[in-house]
Amino acid sequence: MEFVVESNHLSGMIPSTIYNISSIYNFSVAENQLHGELPRNLGTMLPNLVRLLCGMNKFRGNIPISLSNASKLLKLDLSQNGFTGTIPGESFGSLRRLFWLNVESNQLGNRKVGDLNFLSFLANCTSLEVLGLGDNNFGGGIPGSVANFSTQLKVLSMGGNVIYGSLPNDIGNLINLTILTLDRNHLGGIVPHEIGKLEKLEQLYLEGNKFSGLIPSSLGNMTSLLNLYMESNRFEGSIPPSLGNYRNILFLNLSSNNLTGTIPKMLMELSTLSISLDLSNNYLTGPLPLEVGDLVHLTEINVLRNNLSGEIPSTIGSCASLERLYLQGNKFEGTIPQSLKYLKGLEKLDISSNNLSGQIPEFIGKLGALRYLNLSYNDFEGELPKEGIFANVSRVSVLGNHRLCGGIPQLHLPPCPLKKHHSSQGLHSPKVVIPISCVLGIIIALSCFFGVCSMLKKSRDRLATSRSYKDWKLGVSYSQLVESTNGFLVDNLIGSGSFGSVYKGVIPSDGTIVAVKVFNLQQQGASKSFMDECKVLRSIRHRNLLKIITACSSIDNQGKDFKSLVFEFMANGSLDSMLYPMEEKQSLSKRLSFMQRLNIAIDVASALDYLHHHCEMAIVHCDLKPSNVLLDEDMVAHVGDFGLARFLFETSNDPSFSQTMSSQLKGSIGYIPPEYGTGGQVSILGDVYSYGILLLEMFTGKRPIDDMFKGNLSIYQFVAIALPDHVMDVVDHSIILDLEADGDVNNYIVREQTPSKRNNGGPMKEKKLKECLILVMQIGLSCCAMSPSERMLMDVVVRKMSTIRDLYLKV
């Protein structure tokens, strides 16, 4: 029997009669407001317990010693409560098949420090796979018996305590560990070389301790590592080149240590490094290696406050996915490289406190995604641009550059001196003018002659070779794509993704604008992504899905494989660019009204409903986010980028049916459902989670990875805390501004509504807007619930969101 009442806002105490039902094997009351103590004889009363989940409540008292009688217990979660006392020791010795012990965030011993020696009994738990003891007040040292745990142990979590001492040398005996977290303790000494035996390790968290000595080169043996966090310790010496052995690394953080020497070139060749490389706050010297250009998928490079020198390498312009670049507090010199203009997605650039000089290039103001720029305390000179980010004094800093002039008045720079116009009287003399005029006349005549000949030739060639939009649908060659994009010119670059770049193209014969997605076949998985996307797009057709025109699989001019997809061009770009317009001029023209957001949300939900429930085989998108939602000239949303999409071949009556996923995470940080991060399964409910995050983001105007979301605060909690009374405090401020300007009524034509149903009766009442916002936010929270089984299916979302739109239009 199961007793499951998770996430129901229940309060009070659990009736004692519940504990008398001895057949209960799944006891789950997590995420409520329940209080009281667990019965001392709980393990005797419920001997068949397999799962005991009481996390995120207000329970207090001791952990019942009688749980030792529940010999079938696989999962125990008592996290985030008020339990006191010490954790029972040998009383747990009979739980020989314990699967998960989690006692995080409790108040053991009334905040008194406990002792880890009780861990010794766990050596008898031969089936133990996951042990979580993080965020408590355990003290003492890690007993050597930990190294004698079952070799089946996969997760060992003891972060966030007050553990001191050193790491046992025999830690390498736990050969099946995939996650080891010891962060935020008082551990010291060296990290033993034997740790390199943990070759299956995927996540290693050692940050926030007092480890010293060299970083062991044996860490390079962990070739499956995804996350490596070693910041805020006392490590010294150089960075081991062996760290360049990682095949799947996403995060690498060695910041805030005492590291010296140069940055190994091998570290710049980690092709999978796609999220963050943080080497800041050390004593590294030498240049930033030219090989940094190989990190084409990396979103953040942070080397601030070191002793790096030389010029900023021009190769950094090849880092097409870069969003944050922190180089401040070093000794870089020279000018800002022109190649930075290729970083179309760059959001934050800080090169302050260096020895840089020369003029500030105007292209920086044309980086549309840039929202923070710090050029302070260098030796820049000349006139400061006024366009783009330079027009927003709150987003740019140029302090300490005493030779700059001009710019917007709010920056208080001195005016630039007037340019002197030298006399040109000598050039106007007849002896000069007449010969020059004759030469120019001859040149113009010859140019016209050859121009006419060229136009006639091109006209003949076009009649013979050009193909219309209709013809392109039958297939297109590499040379035709080159012609349509002006040789894949950087100025035509629309954006970059995990496996390639998208260019704006024009069909020469009829001027039709298209989007050309070119796959970077050097990136592992790009070719498979091309095949997967072709396979998915061939099977689907819906008004809210990005329509493919054709595909090209050919050879380029250098004899290399070339693969590309051609799509309909979306005139209004991505939802991401609409939600976060960077230039002040755009902020008004691109402001999304409440009604527009509502319609876009319904469009996206309709697309997912079609993929999940109306295709021959259900399709999971796997990467839903604002940049993958594109808007046409009528502001109709189209979901695109199916490079990670998966068919679900398994037939089942369960609406949440799923299939096993690969070991790597599917999706983008902030939108990935939590079950994927723990080796879960690809499921349509994973898409529902991503949609829920997207929905909250659309109406709050805050990214799920916003700087404000740290520690225990997420976008989910940010909204949940505000509902229902304070919803207007978390809503995107531009929605309120639009309401005040009556934008919803006068500036927007409601799609899919008859004239009689259009709202033309004056400004929308705040009460009605607040009511609709609460309903929308509640749907978002339901969709991104932690437990997949609690999420709302997309066909239900479409109906509920459409009802909200109807309610809004009745005012």
Side-chain angles (χ1 to χ4, degrees):
M1 178 178 177
E2 294 185 334
F3 178 66
V4 180
V5 290
E6 295 178 352
S7 305
N8 279 293
H9 304 289
L10 298 176
S11 59
M13 300 178 65
I14 298 176
S16 59
T17 54
I18 298 295
Y19 298 118
N20 293 325
I21 307 175
S22 60
S23 61
I24 292 179
Y25 63 88
N26 184 6
F27 190 100
S28 179
V29 295
E31 298 183 45
N32 285 290
Q33 298 293 318
L34 299 170
H35 61 84
E37 298 185 7
L38 295 179
R40 299 180 64 179
N41 57 345
L42 178 63
T44 303
M45 302 167 72
L46 303 177
N48 296 308
L49 272 182
V50 175
R51 290 157 51 95
L52 177 59
L53 309 178
C54 301
M56 299 179 67
N57 280 284
K58 297 181 179 179
F59 290 110
R60 56 184 175 80
N62 296 325
I63 299 174
I65 297 177
S66 62
L67 283 176
S68 60
N69 296 319
S71 59
K72 300 177 182 178
L73 196 62
L74 297 179
K75 187 172 183 179
L76 173 63
D77 180 7
L78 304 178
S79 63
Q80 299 185 41
N81 280 282
F83 289 106
T84 57
T86 57
I87 298 178
E90 296 182 0
S91 60
F92 275 104
S94 60
L95 304 182
R96 301 186 62 82
R97 292 190 55 80
L98 183 65
F99 179 74
W100 184 32
L101 173 61
N102 188 339
V103 289
E104 297 181 352
S105 302
N106 285 296
Q107 300 175 7
L108 300 174
N110 291 318
R111 307 296 297 178
K112 293 181 180 179
V113 174
D115 193 341
L116 282 178
N117 287 329
F118 73 92
L119 290 175
S120 300
F121 79 93
L122 290 174
N124 299 323
C125 298
T126 58
S127 298
L128 188 67
E129 292 189 4
V130 179
L131 174 62
L133 302 173
D135 294 298
N136 281 285
N137 291 295
F138 294 121
I142 300 176
S145 58
V146 168
N148 297 323
F149 278 6
S150 166
T151 56
Q152 301 303 312
L153 191 67
K154 296 180 179 178
V155 177
L156 177 58
S157 175
M158 294 191 290
N161 286 287
V162 284
I163 305 170
Y164 56 85
S166 59
L167 197 58
N169 290 332
D170 294 336
I171 191 72
N173 293 349
L174 305 176
I175 57 174
N176 284 307
L177 269 187
T178 59
I179 298 177
L180 175 59
T181 66
L182 299 169
D183 55 295
R184 295 169 293 124
N185 280 289
H186 299 283
L187 292 166
I190 65 169
V191 174
H193 184 80
E194 287 76 9
I195 197 172
K197 296 179 181 179
L198 307 179
E199 297 183 3
K200 295 183 180 180
L201 207 63
E202 296 179 358
Q203 300 187 45
L204 177 59
Y205 298 85
L206 300 179
E207 74 270 21
N209 282 285
K210 299 178 181 178
F211 288 117
S212 59
L214 302 178
I215 296 177
S217 61
S218 62
L219 289 181
N221 298 337
M222 304 173 183
T223 55
S224 298
L225 210 60
L226 297 173
N227 302 326
L228 175 59
Y229 291 92
M230 304 182 71
E231 71 269 23
S232 301
N233 280 285
R234 300 172 183 175
F235 289 113
E236 57 191 36
S238 59
I239 300 173
S242 62
L243 300 190
N245 296 337
Y246 298 136
R247 298 192 299 259
N248 303 304
I249 193 76
L250 300 175
F251 287 91
L252 199 161
N253 195 332
L254 304 177
S255 65
S256 300
N257 281 286
N258 299 315
L259 299 175
T260 57
T262 60
I263 300 175
K265 293 181 180 180
M266 290 185 66
L267 213 61
M268 302 289 111
E269 298 172 354
L270 293 170
S271 60
T272 62
L273 192 58
S274 57
I275 298 178
S276 178
L277 172 62
D278 193 344
L279 306 176
S280 62
N281 292 296
N282 281 289
Y283 300 95
L284 300 173
T285 57
L288 186 61
L290 293 175
E291 289 77 7
V292 68
D294 294 338
L295 301 174
V296 294
H297 303 293
L298 189 60
T299 59
E300 178 182 88
I301 297 176
N302 189 347
V303 293
L304 67 84
R305 287 191 282 277
N306 279 282
N307 292 314
L308 299 175
S309 57
E311 295 188 353
I312 298 175
S314 60
T315 53
I316 206 168
S318 300
C319 300
S321 300
L322 203 61
E323 296 179 0
R324 298 174 297 279
L325 178 59
Y326 302 109
L327 304 178
Q328 67 266 36
N330 283 284
K331 299 177 181 178
F332 289 115
E333 57 188 16
T335 59
I336 298 175
Q338 289 290 315
S339 61
L340 291 187
K341 66 183 178 182
Y342 300 132
L343 303 181
K344 301 294 185 180
L346 194 64
E347 296 179 359
K348 295 184 178 182
L349 174 62
D350 195 333
I351 53 177
S352 62
S353 300
N354 280 287
N355 300 319
L356 298 169
S357 58
Q359 291 190 320
I360 297 174
E362 291 188 1
F363 72 76
I364 292 181
K366 298 178 182 179
L367 295 175
L370 197 62
R371 57 190 177 96
Y372 174 79
L373 174 65
N374 193 344
L375 307 174
S376 300
Y377 301 104
N378 282 286
D379 193 25
F380 293 119
E381 61 181 281
E383 185 173 4
L384 186 71
K386 297 180 181 179
E387 302 297 324
I389 195 170
F390 293 105
N392 191 332
V393 68
S394 66
R395 296 182 179 179
V396 64
S397 177
V398 293
L399 297 172
N401 290 281
H402 302 297
R403 295 199 289 167
L404 283 178
C405 62
I408 61 175
Q410 294 88 337
L411 291 173
H412 305 294
L413 294 176
C416 294
L418 295 176
K419 297 180 180 179
K420 297 181 180 180
H421 299 281
H422 297 282
S423 173
S424 57
Q425 184 177 358
L427 295 175
H428 294 163
S429 66
K431 293 182 179 180
V432 177
V433 172
I434 292 174
I436 291 178
S437 300
C438 293
V439 173
L440 288 176
I442 296 172
I443 292 174
I444 292 172
L446 291 173
S447 298
C448 291
F449 173 79
F450 289 116
V452 171
C453 293
S454 177
M455 290 175 63
L456 291 173
K457 183 178 184 301
K458 287 184 178 180
S459 178
R460 289 193 299 269
D461 292 343
R462 181 169 295 177
L463 289 174
T465 62
S466 65
R467 310 178 71 201
S468 67
Y469 175 87
K470 183 177 180 180
D471 294 327
W472 270 44
K473 295 173 71 174
L474 301 176
V476 64
S477 67
Y478 169 75
S479 60
Q480 289 165 334
L481 291 179
V482 171
E483 181 183 6
S484 71
T485 60
N486 291 327
F488 302 110
L489 194 66
V490 173
D491 290 343
N492 287 348
L493 184 65
I494 300 173
S496 300
S498 302
F499 297 115
S501 303
V502 181
Y503 297 85
K504 180 180 178 181
V506 180
I507 300 178
S509 61
D510 57 12
T512 302
I513 301 176
V514 294
V516 181
K517 180 177 181 179
V518 179
F519 287 78
N520 175 19
L521 300 182
Q522 303 302 314
Q523 168 65 15
Q524 184 179 3
S527 182
K528 183 178 185 300
S529 175
F530 170 81
M531 299 303 295
D532 289 345
E533 194 159 0
C534 287
K535 186 176 180 181
V536 172
L537 293 171
R538 187 174 57 216
S539 309
I540 58 178
R541 185 177 297 274
H542 189 273
R543 69 184 291 269
N544 296 123
L545 296 176
L546 189 60
K547 185 178 180 181
I548 186 174
I549 298 173
T550 188
C552 176
S553 180
S554 183
I555 303 295
D556 64 16
N557 290 336
Q558 298 178 349
K560 298 180 180 179
D561 287 341
F562 175 86
K563 296 186 187 298
S564 177
L565 297 174
V566 182
F567 299 92
E568 287 187 338
F569 182 76
M570 297 287 107
N572 278 307
S574 69
L575 174 60
D576 188 89
S577 65
M578 283 288 183
L579 289 174
Y580 310 105
M582 300 313 304
E583 297 184 10
E584 292 297 319
K585 295 178 181 178
Q586 294 178 331
S587 62
L588 291 177
S589 62
K590 286 194 172 185
R591 180 188 296 163
L592 288 173
S593 67
F594 173 79
M595 194 65 205
Q596 284 176 310
R597 296 174 201 239
L598 199 56
N599 277 318
I600 292 170
I602 293 173
D603 288 343
V604 175
S606 298
L608 292 179
D609 177 36
Y610 168 80
L611 294 173
H612 294 175
H613 304 293
H614 302 286
C615 292
E616 183 176 351
M617 288 181 291
I619 298 172
V620 184
H621 185 279
C622 288
D623 197 17
L624 185 67
K625 56 183 177 180
S627 60
N628 287 340
V629 177
L630 303 175
L631 306 170
D632 65 18
E633 59 184 2
D634 295 321
M635 294 299 289
V636 176
H638 302 257
V639 176
D641 200 342
F642 287 82
L644 297 180
R646 294 290 179 269
F647 286 94
L648 295 186
F649 298 96
E650 190 175 325
T651 57
S652 172
N653 295 324
D654 182 356
S656 64
F657 57 88
S658 58
Q659 68 185 41
T660 303
M661 67 184 293
S662 66
S663 60
Q664 292 188 345
L665 297 182
K666 292 290 183 286
S668 300
I669 300 300
Y671 305 91
I672 303 175
E675 63 269 22
Y676 287 10
T678 56
Q681 296 179 315
V682 170
S683 164
I684 62 175
L685 295 176
D687 276 357
V688 174
Y689 178 89
S690 301
Y691 177 83
I693 296 295
L694 176 72
L695 196 61
L696 298 181
E697 180 179 6
M698 286 179 62
F699 288 91
T700 63
K702 297 188 181 299
R703 298 182 189 273
I705 56 172
D706 191 279
D707 292 340
M708 72 174 293
F709 299 133
K710 296 179 179 178
N712 294 325
L713 182 64
S714 65
I715 191 171
Y716 177 98
Q717 293 161 325
F718 176 68
V719 174
I721 293 171
L723 292 186
D725 297 332
H726 299 284
V727 66
M728 302 304 284
D729 294 337
V730 298
V731 70
D732 189 344
H733 187 60
S734 66
I735 295 178
I736 308 299
L737 292 177
D738 209 54
L739 174 67
E740 295 171 352
D742 195 18
D744 278 60
V745 177
N746 299 319
N747 299 329
Y748 182 67
I749 299 176
V750 180
R751 292 191 267 115
E752 300 180 351
Q753 298 294 327
T754 62
S756 62
K757 291 184 178 180
R758 289 179 184 168
N759 181 357
N760 53 16
M764 175 63 62
K765 295 180 181 179
E766 183 177 349
K767 181 179 179 181
K768 180 61 67 176
L769 176 63
K770 181 177 179 180
E771 179 183 357
C772 292
L773 280 169
I774 291 172
L775 294 173
V776 169
M777 299 292 196
Q778 287 174 340
I779 291 175
L781 293 176
S782 176
C783 288
C784 56
M786 292 296 290
S787 174
S789 62
E790 296 175 3
R791 297 172 194 161
M792 188 181 298
L793 294 176
M794 292 315 302
D795 54 347
V796 179
V797 172
V798 173
R799 291 197 300 271
K800 288 184 176 290
M801 292 292 289
S802 299
T803 301
I804 295 172
R805 179 171 61 185
D806 293 341
L807 175 65
Y808 184 80
L809 293 170
K810 287 179 182 179
V811 176

